[in-house]
Amino acid sequence: MVIRDNITGKGGTPAVDFLSIIWIIFLLSAFLPMLHQRRIEAARLHLIRTFERKKNSRLITLIHRQEALSFLGIPLTRYINIEDSEQLLRAIRLTPEDMPIDLVLHTPGGLVLAAEQIAHAILKHPARVTVYIPHYAMSGGTLIALAADEIVMDENAVLGPVDPQLGEYPAASILKVIEEKDKNEIDDRTLILGDIARKAMRQVRESLIELLAEKMERQKAEELATILSEGRWTHDYPIGVEQLIKMGLPVKTGLPREIYQLMELYPQPAGRRPSVQYVPLPYSRRDGGRR
């Protein structure tokens, strides 16, 4: 007599459970991306430590990718935020005063408060700080880059203007409207925005002067700060290497090969990931080449 039930088929051969196969496929689809992400994470940390041993420095990354949510195809753009400034300031605190810092910067910009916090922390670090820009560092990213002792860029990489934006409008454009229209024809909200815009432009210019005065004469720093913050160009105007050098900024080309390799380990992901990354340990001066 042949026995047959839900567990065995003809002749006692195990029957194929369709639901079990679906469950196994579901588990694999859930865990394989996680394992892949962990391998990428391990590769990044290994490359970071290799670079640190080579340069005897602390390497930090501030990298923002343009990500897309699968839900309804809504795009999600990442910017410099307070979380980034908190993490980056902690990385600097964990670095000895006599240890150089190398910062890989790839960002469209972001919150002025966060960018200024990072920039001033970099400016105060006693040892040399080098910023590497493989592609672009716009707006707040430019503000951070200007705080470094040296900016090393890919020959096609760009920085951008640092003129403040109020919501969807440039501060300079708001002031232009107020200048060109009769005051009696302007609504109160626009007048309030104009007052805020004037203050924002003054504050950003003063921050730029403070950063640039460390690298050039104050008069030159004031002129350059005005150029970058006055709204001369659109906010996404790309300022290339040659133009930056003519401005008198400490810019050069020749990115290390490891920086390009590191960027390849930050693929365009569908989900969120940390923007700032570093080995989360306090370093002593001699640890740079040994740990």
Side-chain angles (χ1 to χ4, degrees):
M1 181 176 66
V2 177
I3 300 174
R4 184 172 182 177
D5 55 25
N6 291 333
I7 301 177
T8 58
K10 292 182 179 180
T13 303
V16 177
D17 189 335
F18 182 73
L19 291 178
S20 296
I21 293 176
I22 296 297
W23 181 245
I24 291 172
I25 293 175
F26 173 76
L27 290 177
L28 289 175
S29 64
F31 283 104
L32 285 179
M34 185 185 303
L35 293 174
H36 177 67
Q37 183 62 30
R38 286 179 177 259
R39 285 197 296 269
I40 291 178
E41 178 79 13
R44 286 201 294 252
L45 290 175
H46 175 73
L47 188 54
I48 287 173
R49 285 304 293 138
T50 300
F51 188 86
E52 288 178 335
R53 293 188 186 99
K54 178 180 177 180
K55 298 290 295 292
N56 196 25
S57 66
R58 158 93 66 183
L59 177 63
I60 308 170
T61 67
L62 178 56
I63 297 173
H64 295 114
R65 288 294 196 188
Q66 306 302 306
E67 302 173 356
L69 292 174
S70 59
F71 180 69
L72 299 180
I74 300 174
L76 172 66
T77 303
R78 302 194 66 191
Y79 297 99
I80 301 169
N81 57 30
I82 292 298
E83 181 183 358
D84 292 334
S85 65
E86 289 176 353
Q87 291 296 319
L88 215 149
L89 266 59
R90 179 173 183 266
I92 295 174
R93 286 197 303 270
L94 291 175
T95 306
E97 291 187 352
D98 60 346
M99 176 176 282
I101 290 177
D102 295 310
L103 174 63
V104 181
L105 199 53
H106 176 84
T107 179
L111 190 64
V112 173
L113 169 60
E116 287 190 353
Q117 283 184 308
I118 295 170
H120 285 94
I122 288 173
L123 189 65
K124 292 176 183 176
H125 186 68
R128 188 172 185 79
V129 178
T130 302
V131 166
Y132 295 98
I133 303 174
H135 184 57
Y136 76 155
M138 305 297 285
S139 189
T142 299
L143 187 69
I144 293 171
L146 294 177
D149 299 294
E150 182 179 48
I151 305 171
V152 183
M153 303 173 63
D154 179 89
E155 61 182 6
N156 298 308
V158 297
L159 299 182
V162 195
D163 56 309
Q165 309 291 295
L166 298 182
E168 59 181 315
Y169 301 116
S173 297
I174 295 173
L175 293 178
K176 185 73 172 177
V177 169
I178 294 175
E179 290 172 2
E180 294 186 352
K181 292 188 69 174
D182 186 283
K183 186 176 180 180
N184 296 322
E185 298 178 0
I186 304 174
D187 62 272
D188 290 346
R189 183 177 183 277
T190 303
L191 291 173
I192 292 171
L193 285 176
D195 181 59
I196 297 172
R198 192 174 293 105
K199 292 173 182 176
M201 292 186 68
R202 183 179 66 250
Q203 290 166 190
V204 169
R205 182 177 180 274
E206 289 174 353
S207 292
L208 285 170
I209 292 173
E210 183 179 352
L211 298 176
L212 294 169
E214 297 289 328
K215 304 168 182 60
M216 57 187 69
E217 295 180 357
R218 186 170 181 86
Q219 182 178 353
K220 177 64 176 177
E222 291 176 354
E223 292 175 359
L224 186 52
T226 299
I227 292 172
L228 291 173
S229 65
E230 69 180 355
R232 172 175 300 194
W233 305 293
T234 60
H235 194 59
D236 60 351
Y237 176 76
I239 307 176
V241 173
E242 293 183 2
Q243 190 172 357
L244 292 168
I245 293 174
K246 289 179 180 179
M247 290 178 176
L249 293 172
V251 174
K252 71 176 186 179
T253 58
L255 281 179
R257 176 174 52 87
E258 292 89 347
I259 302 301
Y260 294 113
Q261 293 174 337
L262 186 60
M263 287 299 296
E264 292 176 359
L265 295 174
Y266 285 87
Q268 191 92 329
R272 292 180 60 83
R273 57 164 174 73
S275 302
V276 178
Q277 190 162 18
Y278 56 94
V279 179
L281 295 171
Y283 287 177
S284 64
R285 175 63 179 170
R286 60 183 181 180
D287 281 343
R290 296 184 180 182
R291 192 180 297 277

